[in-house]
Amino acid sequence: MSASAKSPPFDPADPLGLDDLLEPEDLAVRDTVRAWAGDRVLPYVADWYEKGELPGIRELARELGGIGVLGMPLSGYGCAGASAVQYGLACLELEAADSGIRSLVSVQGSLAMYAIHRFGGEEQKQRWLPGMAAGEIIGCFGLTEPDHGSDPAAMRTHAKRDGGDWVLNGRKMWITNGSVADVAVVWAQTDDGIRGFVVPTGDAGFSAPEIKHKWSLRASVTSELVLDDVRLPADAV
């Protein structure tokens, strides 16, 4: 190193100099999410925690859709098509504010939206993804069960064919966004193995009682999903 070369000044907020590894677009994404969380989460989250609730979740979801973090790494259908680094930075900032807010975003995008984007038919994608990306539609992801956790091999929720329809029965537990969701991606045992189903939450036989008195993720909607003879068309799979 030249004797005249100077080391960059030490930044106590970034002691390892990681910001130097990021592109300007990455830093812009991070700063946008940090500013949003500072304005819309940090002033209120202590009260949300004490009450064990997340009021105004639909308004928050629309705002998160407005800054492009719902389904952020997905392409098309109103999604941002961002890089994995940018999505990671966004989640880091949300997590720094409150894990419940990060859970709202990651369950919406990385679980419910990703499953539809990756495995759904074009009609399902067109029906659900643009609204989910905008925060106008909230989704949840029904995998975990009361007796077996997130072990698909032990899953008890099942779907049986009835003519051209499917009929779902079972229970899911600890489901983020469940009580406010408009659509649920539900995993079930079938005669052909485990399959995913896109379930509009207004369908008969579907209910999602909220779980209260949690000790963690208190500023988050967490629910049980109850499926009692929920009838779905063939194209829901």
Side-chain angles (χ1 to χ4, degrees):
M1 177 181 291
S2 169
S4 62
K6 294 183 179 180
S7 299
F10 176 75
D11 182 358
D14 182 27
L16 298 180
L18 297 181
D19 282 7
D20 296 335
L21 304 177
L22 300 173
E23 299 294 334
E25 294 83 0
D26 303 333
L27 294 171
V29 167
R30 184 195 66 183
D31 292 347
T32 295
V33 179
R34 180 179 292 179
W36 181 87
D39 180 54
R40 296 293 286 118
V41 179
L42 291 178
Y44 312 106
V45 70
D47 186 53
W48 298 344
Y49 179 89
E50 290 297 329
K51 294 179 178 179
E53 62 183 22
L54 182 59
I57 184 173
R58 290 197 171 274
E59 180 181 355
L60 292 173
R62 286 191 290 269
E63 292 177 12
L64 289 162
I67 61 173
V69 300
L70 300 179
M72 191 172 177
L74 302 178
S75 297
Y77 308 99
C79 301
S83 70
V85 168
Q86 291 168 359
Y87 182 47
L89 290 168
C91 286
L92 184 150
E93 294 300 326
L94 295 171
E95 186 80 31
D98 186 73
S99 190
I101 301 299
R102 190 275 312 149
S103 185
L104 163 64
V105 168
S106 60
V107 167
Q108 173 91 344
S110 296
L111 296 183
M113 291 179 68
Y114 174 81
I116 296 171
H117 191 278
R118 174 66 178 83
F119 301 109
E122 186 61 29
E123 185 175 343
Q124 292 171 337
K125 295 175 186 179
Q126 293 288 353
R127 179 180 179 184
W128 299 110
L129 292 179
M132 295 176 81
E136 297 291 340
I137 295 173
I138 295 178
C140 67
F141 189 84
L143 173 65
T144 305
E145 296 194 349
D147 299 321
H148 300 288
S150 300
D151 176 13
M155 187 183 297
R156 292 184 179 178
T157 299
H158 61 271
K160 299 291 186 183
R161 292 184 184 275
D162 183 19
D165 294 342
W166 291 91
V167 178
L168 272 65
N169 282 279
R171 302 289 186 274
K172 303 293 182 179
M173 185 62 77
W174 308 116
I175 306 303
T176 298
N177 301 342
S179 300
V180 295
D182 304 289
V183 61
V185 175
V186 176
W187 300 91
Q189 295 276 10
T190 76
D191 291 339
D192 301 317
I194 295 171
R195 295 289 182 269
F197 295 84
V198 180
V199 183
T201 58
D203 283 3
F206 182 97
S207 60
E210 187 171 355
I211 297 171
K212 299 289 189 179
H213 310 296
K214 297 178 294 180
W215 285 15
S216 63
L217 288 174
R218 288 174 56 81
S220 175
V221 174
T222 308
S223 314
E224 180 184 11
L225 303 186
V226 181
L227 300 111
D228 286 331
D229 289 332
V230 176
R231 182 173 292 272
L232 300 169
D235 61 4
V237 68

